[in-house]
Amino acid sequence: MLWNSPLGEPHSDELLEHMKLSVTTSIVDLGCGWGELLLRAVARTGAKGTGVDTDNLALDRGKRAAQKKDVNVDFIRQSAADWQGTRDRAICIGSSHTLGGSRATLQRLAEIVPKGRVLVGDTFWEQQPTDVAREIHGDDIPMLIDLVTMCRETGWEILNLTTADQREWDSFESSHRAGLRQWIIENPESPKAQEIREHLDERERGYIMDYRGLLGFAYLVLGR
Ligand SMILES: C[S@@+](CC[C@H](N)C(=O)[O-])C[C@H]1O[C@@H](n2cnc3c(N)ncnc32)[C@H](O)[C@@H]1O
């Protein structure tokens, strides 16, 4: 997996363009995972990056990649809610839960970036969700118009709004299972193969039947 969100590479390039980064820009990524997008942001501009996450394995992967690419990114193991500081730019993709949900994230980002731009990636419902979809993904997901309204209410100007397309979603969902699918192909006689296959089939069925085309993912470049 390149990153842990439904995002194609051309789309990611466009988003980074909208962030208007330069060599003097400081940027923090909250809930960065292994920070691939942050690393790319820094590599293309020379900006100074900080990645914050609680997952040691992801952070170690990010640190190794930063060394390999020779880019200036500090990876910090800390809860995003506890991270203190201000920056010129911030990224928070698929991680609004770490700051208390969509609205709380937008409010917190306004403190972290008093003047500048942020890139927020967050889920929304494309249509009114079914009970099953709500059960899987929770009650806190807004409709797109409500997410946009929250941005305005928290003092942000929306500079760019795009959403993950079906191909980005399908590719993201497949990537979660591809490693284990390949393992099954290579270990057909393993006693675990059938159990793993059933689990993967169930996850795949859930995606196709319960939330494909219903759960959306928005990328918002916001300014203040
Ligand atoms: C869906 S992933 C998104 C990762 C990354 N932003 C990306 O797009 O690839 C959510 C991330 O939030 C991290 N996370 C969960 N709880 C956290 C917390 N309290 N503080 C910081 N990160 C947290 C997870 O470890 C995971 O890397």
Side-chain angles (χ1 to χ4, degrees):
M1 266 171 101
L2 192 51
W3 34 57
N4 203 352
S5 55
L7 180 62
E9 291 192 79
H11 193 173
S12 75
D13 282 341
E14 283 169 31
L15 295 173
L16 291 182
E17 275 301 309
H18 285 292
M19 289 292 275
K20 301 276 182 243
L21 304 165
S22 77
V23 70
T24 59
T25 308
S26 58
I27 178 166
V28 64
D29 187 341
L30 296 166
C32 64
W34 51 91
E36 177 61 28
L37 190 65
L38 177 65
L39 290 166
R40 288 180 182 213
V42 170
R44 64 199 264 158
T45 58
K48 163 97 180 71
T50 307
V52 180
D53 203 286
T54 48
D55 181 337
N56 274 328
L57 285 179
L59 291 167
D60 286 347
R61 176 173 164 182
K63 285 177 195 167
R64 284 195 303 274
Q67 262 186 350
K68 202 168 160 191
K69 292 185 187 195
D70 194 23
V71 291
N72 188 4
V73 175
D74 287 332
F75 283 97
I76 299 170
R77 186 180 180 279
Q78 190 176 30
S79 172
D82 293 337
W83 185 81
Q84 299 295 320
T86 55
R87 292 290 187 272
D88 303 315
R89 302 284 186 272
I91 298 174
C92 185
I93 295 182
S95 300
S96 62
H97 59 287
T98 70
L99 292 170
S102 305
R103 182 180 293 275
T105 294
L106 292 163
Q107 286 166 336
R108 179 71 188 118
L109 290 177
E111 295 166 354
I112 291 170
V113 181
K115 190 164 174 51
R117 294 184 176 207
V118 298
L119 168 57
V120 176
D122 214 354
T123 47
F124 69 92
W125 295 121
E126 298 268 9
Q127 307 149 39
Q128 283 300 332
T130 59
D131 290 344
V132 178
R134 262 188 213 281
E135 234 170 76
I136 299 171
H137 294 287
D139 281 328
D140 295 336
I141 297 175
M143 301 295 285
L144 184 56
I145 190 62
D146 298 326
L147 186 57
V148 162
T149 303
M150 273 181 227
C151 294
R152 299 212 175 103
E153 287 174 351
T154 51
W156 292 101
E157 295 295 336
I158 297 172
L159 299 169
N160 191 67
L161 163 62
T162 50
T163 60
D165 64 19
Q166 199 59 71
R167 183 176 175 154
E168 286 173 302
W169 264 113
D170 289 345
S171 169
F172 173 59
E173 286 284 337
S174 301
S175 69
H176 282 296
R177 291 179 283 278
L180 281 174
R181 293 269 187 220
Q182 184 59 35
W183 183 88
I184 292 170
I185 290 168
E186 287 164 15
N187 299 274
E189 304 305 330
S190 166
K192 285 190 178 159
Q194 185 55 21
E195 189 189 328
I196 292 172
R197 184 186 290 111
E198 281 169 16
H199 172 72
L200 296 178
D201 289 353
E202 183 53 28
R203 295 284 303 272
E204 191 172 65
R205 195 210 64 80
Y207 170 55
I208 294 168
M209 297 302 291
D210 298 332
Y211 64 92
R212 184 176 185 269
L214 186 53
L215 187 67
F217 202 91
Y219 295 96
L220 296 135
V221 178
L222 308 172
R224 63 190 303 116

